[in-house]
Amino acid sequence: MSEVKKSASTGLRGTSAGATALCTVGKEGAGLTYRGYDVRDLAASTSFEEVAHLLLYGELPTRTQLDGYIKRLQGLRDLPAALKAVLEQIPADAHPMDVMRTGCSMLGNLETEADFSQQLDVVDRMLAVFPSIITYWYRYSHDGVRIDPVTDDVSVGGHFLHLLHGKPASQLHADVMNTSLILYAEHEFNASTFTARVCASTLSDMHSCITGAIGSLRGPLHGGANEAAMEMLERWSDPDEAEQAILGMLERKDKIMGFGHAIYRTSDPRNAVIKEWSRKLADEVGDTTLFPVSERVDEVMWREKKLFPNADFYHASAYHFMGIPTKLFTPIFVMSRLTGWAAHVMEQRENNRIIRPSADYTGPELRPVPPIAERG
Ligand SMILES: CC(=O)SCCNC(=O)CCNC(=O)[C@H](O)C(C)(C)COP(=O)(O)OP(=O)(O)OC[C@H]1O[C@@H](n2cnc3c(N)ncnc32)[C@H](O)[C@@H]1OP(=O)(O)O
Ligand SMILES: O=C([O-])CC(=O)C(=O)O
């Protein structure tokens, strides 16, 4: 990748790029709501499947609707043979986000969204099959096993852990996954969602919108920060070592992954929730290193820079404690954010105008094209 240069541009910060009824971010500096519900309330009392229904179908489901929805998703978990064949071609050292991107794109070839009346069916299929895509590839490329991607687990998160570890998840782990998927589900006009909406605004198909969004989420300044945070935290064996290293990084003006936010100014409301689950998991595994190191980094960042952990930071330790390989962290984000992306694509389609901003030209003035012999 080319060297990253600091840009003088505003990155559209503070510019409204459209309307949405799905989500508010940063209201009162720190709030987050999905269709009017506080994300912390949703995380405390609902399942991810209820939140998916809320985002995609407009309301929290009744008990009967939820039972029907779960059954429907359970019935859509199998992978087409042609998709399995493609996944088997992808090498073990590929990045799992590239596998997600290819898996989604291939699904679009096999089960193309022929017209927008199919949009909800197409999205439900993706919701059910994304955990199957990533774990089928992972287990085949790493363990040489062709897994059966169908389980009768009730939850998307439990299903994912079951396929990954080859055994049903404990209640604690299924609960953590459930919370994590709720926290990551939706976040207004973040970079990957905006990517999906720009693609939707050309009247493109759902698989193209989601494939583009996956590519956008992959970067370490966005969803990739949970992996990058884990890689950083793993380097330190105690809090004092971590503190010295962080001070050095700040001195060198390095970015500390999992900290800061484009919209929130004082805290990310998702952080406190996932931090407590991470603490519980640390107790469960008897951790005496990773969680204390994470907390020290958190303290130092606030003391030195008034920067706070975003949703990604404690997700790193939480996922690690559940035995999830670091490279699979961002694909979990995909399994969840798919719901927000798709809800935005559908909202864009409802009231569409092609998204096409202007640019401030900074190139040369108009000039004649020189003949080739006169160039150089
Ligand atoms: C789920 C998610 O996608 S959450 C985001 C995940 N991404 C990360 O964790 C990556 C690390 N964080 C960052 O790179 C940034 O904070 C972003 C990309 C999230 C937001 O970027 P911006 O909106 O440009 O940040 P912001 O304008 O608040 O930055 C203010 C200052 O704090 C610094 N800063 C912001 N975040 C960090 C950080 N994580 N480490 C060190 N310094 C930071 C900036 O460099 C800037 O300093 P400057 O004024 O000297 O140039
Ligand atoms: O909103 C953002 O810029 C990034 C973020 O936290 C998310 O997408 O969850």
Side-chain angles (χ1 to χ4, degrees):
M1 289 214 183
S2 59
E3 198 192 324
V4 181
K5 295 210 178 79
K6 187 156 171 98
S7 162
S9 100
T10 60
L12 296 179
R13 207 73 77 256
T15 308
S16 173
T20 183
L22 290 164
C23 180
T24 61
V25 172
K27 253 198 162 171
E28 327 277 297
L32 170 60
T33 62
Y34 299 169
R35 292 198 190 274
Y37 298 108
D38 190 308
V39 73
R40 289 163 293 197
D41 295 340
L42 291 169
S45 63
T46 70
S47 66
F48 172 61
E49 292 68 29
E50 288 170 80
V51 169
H53 192 284
L54 170 69
L55 291 171
L56 298 170
Y57 292 86
E59 289 297 343
L60 286 168
T62 62
R63 165 55 56 198
T64 314
Q65 284 171 330
L66 179 62
D67 291 346
Y69 194 45
I70 287 170
K71 247 202 170 62
R72 175 169 163 70
L73 295 177
Q74 284 172 322
L76 292 170
R77 285 175 175 166
D78 208 358
L79 292 166
L83 180 47
K84 285 184 184 167
V86 165
L87 294 171
E88 288 180 18
Q89 300 300 307
I90 304 178
D93 63 357
H95 193 286
M97 284 297 278
D98 298 345
V99 178
M100 291 306 295
R101 195 188 60 210
T102 298
C104 179
S105 179
M106 183 63 187
L107 192 69
N109 285 293
L110 300 172
E111 301 175 10
T112 310
E113 183 190 30
D115 71 73
F116 294 171
S117 66
Q118 299 168 353
Q119 60 186 5
L120 280 165
D121 290 342
V122 163
V123 175
D124 284 346
R125 171 70 164 144
M126 288 192 215
L127 193 53
V129 92
F130 275 9
S132 309
I133 288 177
I134 196 64
T135 49
Y136 187 88
W137 165 78
Y138 186 82
R139 296 293 310 283
Y140 182 80
S141 61
H142 288 69
D143 306 331
V145 179
R146 285 191 171 96
I147 59 163
D148 174 2
V150 180
T151 73
D152 57 8
D153 292 291
V154 172
S155 67
V156 172
H159 170 64
F160 165 74
L161 288 178
H162 189 168
L163 294 181
L164 178 65
H165 296 312
K167 57 177 197 273
S170 67
Q171 192 57 51
L172 174 63
H173 291 191
D175 288 347
V176 178
M177 281 302 296
N178 183 61
T179 308
S180 165
L181 294 174
I182 291 174
L183 296 178
Y184 271 148
E186 162 56 8
H187 221 245
E188 198 221 44
F189 276 28
N190 61 85
S192 56
T193 301
F194 195 57
T195 303
R197 280 193 88 125
V198 170
C199 189
S201 83
T202 71
L203 301 184
S204 189
D205 66 291
M206 185 64 82
H207 295 92
S208 295
C209 298
I210 303 301
T211 303
I214 293 171
S216 186
L217 187 71
R218 185 191 194 293
L221 295 190
H222 192 8
N226 54 16
E227 293 177 37
M230 186 66 225
E231 281 157 14
M232 174 184 80
L233 292 166
E234 262 176 335
R235 300 204 293 263
W236 305 316
S237 50
D238 66 65
D240 291 342
E241 188 189 349
E243 174 156 354
Q244 287 316 308
I246 288 288
L247 292 174
M249 289 171 81
L250 290 176
E251 181 86 30
R252 292 191 300 276
K253 300 219 172 305
D254 290 350
K255 276 270 161 77
I256 315 297
M257 293 299 151
F259 284 85
H261 200 273
I263 304 292
Y264 298 124
R265 297 316 343 149
T266 53
S267 65
D268 179 331
R270 302 166 293 185
N271 174 58
V273 182
I274 196 62
K275 181 175 177 181
E276 282 323 297
W277 283 109
S278 179
R279 191 194 303 279
K280 273 194 191 106
L281 290 165
D283 288 347
E284 185 200 42
V285 301
D287 167 73
T288 53
T289 306
L290 182 56
F291 194 80
V293 160
S294 304
E295 276 201 305
R296 179 69 70 86
V297 173
D298 184 348
E299 281 161 32
V300 173
M301 287 298 286
W302 185 254
R303 188 186 75 213
E304 297 294 320
K305 285 276 175 190
K306 294 286 171 282
L307 283 169
F308 53 88
N310 56 49
D312 280 334
F313 186 66
Y314 284 98
H315 261 104
S317 47
Y319 288 164
H320 183 82
F321 293 140
M322 292 192 291
I324 300 172
T326 304
K327 283 195 160 181
L328 295 186
F329 290 3
T330 319
I332 302 174
F333 199 154
V334 173
M335 290 173 212
S336 160
R337 184 57 58 86
L338 164 67
T339 54
W341 291 334
H344 276 275
V345 168
M346 295 191 287
E347 191 179 55
Q348 180 69 33
R349 286 173 173 181
E350 262 171 35
N351 186 15
N352 188 57
R353 187 163 186 206
I354 192 165
I355 297 173
R356 201 307 189 183
S358 307
D360 300 319
Y361 181 66
T362 58
E365 290 302 319
L366 187 63
R367 50 188 176 157
V369 178
I372 195 162
E374 293 171 18
R375 294 177 212 162

PDB file of all heavy atoms in Angstrom, residues 187 190 222 261 270 333 337, ligand 2:
ATOM      1  N   HIS A 187     -24.780   2.619  12.271  1.00  0.00           N
ATOM      2  CA  HIS A 187     -24.086   3.822  12.726  1.00  0.00           C
ATOM      3  C   HIS A 187     -24.164   4.964  11.731  1.00  0.00           C
ATOM      4  O   HIS A 187     -23.170   5.588  11.388  1.00  0.00           O
ATOM      5  CB  HIS A 187     -22.622   3.512  13.070  1.00  0.00           C
ATOM      6  CG  HIS A 187     -22.151   4.192  14.297  1.00  0.00           C
ATOM      7  ND1 HIS A 187     -21.169   5.145  14.305  1.00  0.00           N
ATOM      8  CD2 HIS A 187     -22.562   4.083  15.574  1.00  0.00           C
ATOM      9  CE1 HIS A 187     -20.983   5.577  15.533  1.00  0.00           C
ATOM     10  NE2 HIS A 187     -21.825   4.945  16.325  1.00  0.00           N
ATOM     11  N   ASN A 190     -21.509   6.460   8.492  1.00  0.00           N
ATOM     12  CA  ASN A 190     -20.091   6.098   8.581  1.00  0.00           C
ATOM     13  C   ASN A 190     -19.573   5.754   7.184  1.00  0.00           C
ATOM     14  O   ASN A 190     -20.363   5.599   6.236  1.00  0.00           O
ATOM     15  CB  ASN A 190     -19.919   4.931   9.547  1.00  0.00           C
ATOM     16  CG  ASN A 190     -20.666   3.726   9.055  1.00  0.00           C
ATOM     17  OD1 ASN A 190     -20.156   2.952   8.245  1.00  0.00           O
ATOM     18  ND2 ASN A 190     -21.916   3.568   9.467  1.00  0.00           N
ATOM     19  N   HIS A 222     -11.345   2.222  10.124  1.00  0.00           N
ATOM     20  CA  HIS A 222     -12.782   1.939  10.322  1.00  0.00           C
ATOM     21  C   HIS A 222     -12.879   0.567  11.015  1.00  0.00           C
ATOM     22  O   HIS A 222     -12.320   0.368  12.090  1.00  0.00           O
ATOM     23  CB  HIS A 222     -13.456   2.023   8.946  1.00  0.00           C
ATOM     24  CG  HIS A 222     -14.953   2.048   8.929  1.00  0.00           C
ATOM     25  ND1 HIS A 222     -15.732   2.167  10.047  1.00  0.00           N
ATOM     26  CD2 HIS A 222     -15.827   1.952   7.883  1.00  0.00           C
ATOM     27  CE1 HIS A 222     -17.021   2.163   9.702  1.00  0.00           C
ATOM     28  NE2 HIS A 222     -17.109   2.027   8.386  1.00  0.00           N
ATOM     29  N   HIS A 261     -12.788   9.152  17.531  1.00  0.00           N
ATOM     30  CA  HIS A 261     -13.977   8.961  16.702  1.00  0.00           C
ATOM     31  C   HIS A 261     -14.267  10.206  15.892  1.00  0.00           C
ATOM     32  O   HIS A 261     -14.016  11.323  16.353  1.00  0.00           O
ATOM     33  CB  HIS A 261     -15.194   8.606  17.570  1.00  0.00           C
ATOM     34  CG  HIS A 261     -16.264   7.948  16.772  1.00  0.00           C
ATOM     35  ND1 HIS A 261     -17.227   8.665  16.102  1.00  0.00           N
ATOM     36  CD2 HIS A 261     -16.476   6.639  16.498  1.00  0.00           C
ATOM     37  CE1 HIS A 261     -18.003   7.808  15.460  1.00  0.00           C
ATOM     38  NE2 HIS A 261     -17.571   6.577  15.670  1.00  0.00           N
ATOM     39  N   ARG A 270     -21.047   2.595  22.985  1.00  0.00           N
ATOM     40  CA  ARG A 270     -20.925   1.138  22.845  1.00  0.00           C
ATOM     41  C   ARG A 270     -19.787   0.597  23.685  1.00  0.00           C
ATOM     42  O   ARG A 270     -19.752  -0.581  24.037  1.00  0.00           O
ATOM     43  CB  ARG A 270     -20.700   0.785  21.368  1.00  0.00           C
ATOM     44  CG  ARG A 270     -21.818   1.276  20.473  1.00  0.00           C
ATOM     45  CD  ARG A 270     -21.441   1.242  18.997  1.00  0.00           C
ATOM     46  NE  ARG A 270     -20.386   2.192  18.670  1.00  0.00           N
ATOM     47  CZ  ARG A 270     -19.933   2.430  17.446  1.00  0.00           C
ATOM     48  NH1 ARG A 270     -20.449   1.772  16.423  1.00  0.00           N
ATOM     49  NH2 ARG A 270     -18.975   3.301  17.214  1.00  0.00           N
ATOM     50  N   PHE A 333     -17.891  -8.015  12.360  1.00  0.00           N
ATOM     51  CA  PHE A 333     -18.476  -6.672  12.166  1.00  0.00           C
ATOM     52  C   PHE A 333     -19.360  -6.690  10.898  1.00  0.00           C
ATOM     53  O   PHE A 333     -20.476  -6.156  10.889  1.00  0.00           O
ATOM     54  CB  PHE A 333     -17.307  -5.677  12.044  1.00  0.00           C
ATOM     55  CG  PHE A 333     -17.607  -4.222  12.274  1.00  0.00           C
ATOM     56  CD1 PHE A 333     -16.595  -3.364  12.710  1.00  0.00           C
ATOM     57  CD2 PHE A 333     -18.865  -3.678  12.045  1.00  0.00           C
ATOM     58  CE1 PHE A 333     -16.833  -2.001  12.914  1.00  0.00           C
ATOM     59  CE2 PHE A 333     -19.108  -2.321  12.240  1.00  0.00           C
ATOM     60  CZ  PHE A 333     -18.085  -1.489  12.668  1.00  0.00           C
ATOM     61  N   ARG A 337     -23.073  -5.398  10.682  1.00  0.00           N
ATOM     62  CA  ARG A 337     -23.327  -4.126   9.995  1.00  0.00           C
ATOM     63  C   ARG A 337     -24.098  -4.320   8.699  1.00  0.00           C
ATOM     64  O   ARG A 337     -24.723  -3.378   8.188  1.00  0.00           O
ATOM     65  CB  ARG A 337     -22.011  -3.372   9.763  1.00  0.00           C
ATOM     66  CG  ARG A 337     -22.122  -1.983   9.149  1.00  0.00           C
ATOM     67  CD  ARG A 337     -23.000  -1.016   9.939  1.00  0.00           C
ATOM     68  NE  ARG A 337     -22.584  -0.788  11.308  1.00  0.00           N
ATOM     69  CZ  ARG A 337     -21.675   0.122  11.692  1.00  0.00           C
ATOM     70  NH1 ARG A 337     -21.093   0.891  10.799  1.00  0.00           N
ATOM     71  NH2 ARG A 337     -21.372   0.264  12.981  1.00  0.00           N
TER      72      ARG A 337
HETATM   73  O1  LIG B   2     -19.365   6.208  12.576  1.00  0.00           O
HETATM   74  C1  LIG B   2     -18.173   6.051  12.267  1.00  0.00           C
HETATM   75  O2  LIG B   2     -17.491   6.898  11.651  1.00  0.00           O
HETATM   76  C2  LIG B   2     -17.468   4.797  12.620  1.00  0.00           C
HETATM   77  C3  LIG B   2     -18.193   3.936  13.571  1.00  0.00           C
HETATM   78  O3  LIG B   2     -18.111   4.099  14.773  1.00  0.00           O
HETATM   79  C4  LIG B   2     -19.048   2.866  13.047  1.00  0.00           C
HETATM   80  O4  LIG B   2     -19.213   2.775  11.825  1.00  0.00           O
HETATM   81  O5  LIG B   2     -19.572   2.081  13.855  1.00  0.00           O
END
